[in-house]
Amino acid sequence: MTRLFGLDVQTSEVLIPLGDSELQGHLSIPDGAQSVIVLAEGNGSGLMNAADAFLSQEALHVGFAALRVDLYTRKELAEDSYCGYLRFAVKRLNQRLSGTVDWLFHQVATQHMAVGLMGASTGAAAALMTAAGRPETIGAVVCRGGRPDLAGDLLQFVHAPTLLIVGENDQLVADLNREVLNHLPLEREMIVIPGAGHQFEETGALEQVAVAANQWFLDHLIPNSAV
């Protein structure tokens, strides 16, 4: 148990068994949390990614539990570093993220929590595909500088309120995200961070992402709505 932002936070390194794979994750649960945010990277390690670590801390700050998870194993990431075969493997990412959500509902500490997904890069597509496959489970989705267009025809089945966040200077990705808005059937919104690029590395950009994402989850995640 650690003390963060005036809250008692239980933190643990977790292993999530999915078929013949075992995913590594970092789960943080503030005292009194009623919702959990799953942060999913596509092409990078969620545990080593500094942006995910920051966004996870900001989610804790407003009272959410947060799970950062590596959707690829270390072996897969090592292989992909020289052959690139996993770069757009969104179906595999979807299976891994969906399995991770199912795992949360089998844990005593999180089984009654509402679930929100925050996906980046190809993890954005995986988040939307998971939301489409689990409409009664996923309460809200945030995509950060991602490729939600890769979710393809499944976009029409996404019922969770969805926020797309892109950088002003990430023009190609911004255009792809605008097109996705036309295919999401229910509540959706797009926010453009002024002066930001694809990774939101500019001063203050990631802080703006955190504020927008947390507000979206505060507005749309209903505690104890998960089943």
Side-chain angles (χ1 to χ4, degrees):
M1 186 78 70
T2 58
R3 189 78 175 170
L4 292 172
F5 312 118
L7 299 170
D8 289 324
V9 180
Q10 181 179 349
T11 62
S12 57
E13 304 299 324
V14 299
L15 293 175
I16 303 169
L18 298 176
D20 58 355
S21 300
E22 193 171 55
L23 305 183
Q24 293 182 306
H26 182 88
L27 178 62
S28 300
I29 305 177
D31 187 40
Q34 295 180 299
S35 303
V36 57
I37 310 302
V38 183
L39 294 95
E41 284 279 346
N43 298 336
S45 168
L47 297 187
M48 299 300 293
N49 186 284
D52 277 350
F54 173 79
L55 293 169
S56 174
Q57 290 288 304
E58 292 300 296
L60 295 176
H61 197 181
V62 296
F64 293 123
L67 173 63
R68 289 185 288 131
V69 60
D70 285 339
L71 294 179
Y72 292 132
T73 65
R74 289 182 178 178
K75 179 181 178 181
E76 288 170 335
L77 288 172
E79 293 173 347
D80 189 60
S81 66
Y82 61 83
C83 65
Y85 76 108
L86 294 175
R87 183 169 297 274
F88 293 106
V90 292
K91 289 183 179 180
R92 183 181 302 202
L93 289 173
N94 173 33
Q95 292 171 348
R96 299 276 175 86
L97 185 54
S98 296
T100 296
V101 171
D102 293 342
W103 176 85
L104 282 171
F105 285 114
H106 287 89
Q107 309 308 305
V108 173
T110 55
Q111 62 184 348
H112 297 301
M113 291 186 181
V115 177
L117 302 179
M118 185 186 300
S121 186
T122 48
L128 289 170
M129 294 165 77
T130 298
R134 284 161 173 72
E136 303 300 323
T137 297
I138 305 304
V141 177
V142 172
C143 298
R144 166 176 58 91
R147 291 292 308 275
D149 57 296
L150 295 176
D153 291 341
L154 290 179
L155 290 170
Q156 63 185 309
F157 301 111
V158 176
H159 298 298
T162 299
L163 175 65
L164 308 178
I165 306 176
V166 298
E168 179 184 25
N169 297 333
D170 193 13
Q171 192 59 56
L172 175 59
V173 170
D175 289 343
L176 291 170
N177 276 253
R178 287 190 184 93
E179 181 62 27
V180 164
L181 283 178
N182 298 322
H183 297 282
L184 292 169
L186 298 179
E187 186 170 0
R188 72 275 193 199
E189 185 176 333
M190 178 171 160
I191 291 178
V192 179
I193 305 298
H198 183 63
Q199 300 293 339
F200 303 97
E201 295 174 328
E202 296 77 11
T203 301
L206 200 58
E207 286 80 0
Q208 293 181 65
V209 171
V211 169
N214 286 338
Q215 191 59 57
W216 190 260
F217 288 131
L218 287 168
D219 289 344
H220 296 95
L221 273 186
I222 301 173
N224 301 318
S225 66
V227 294

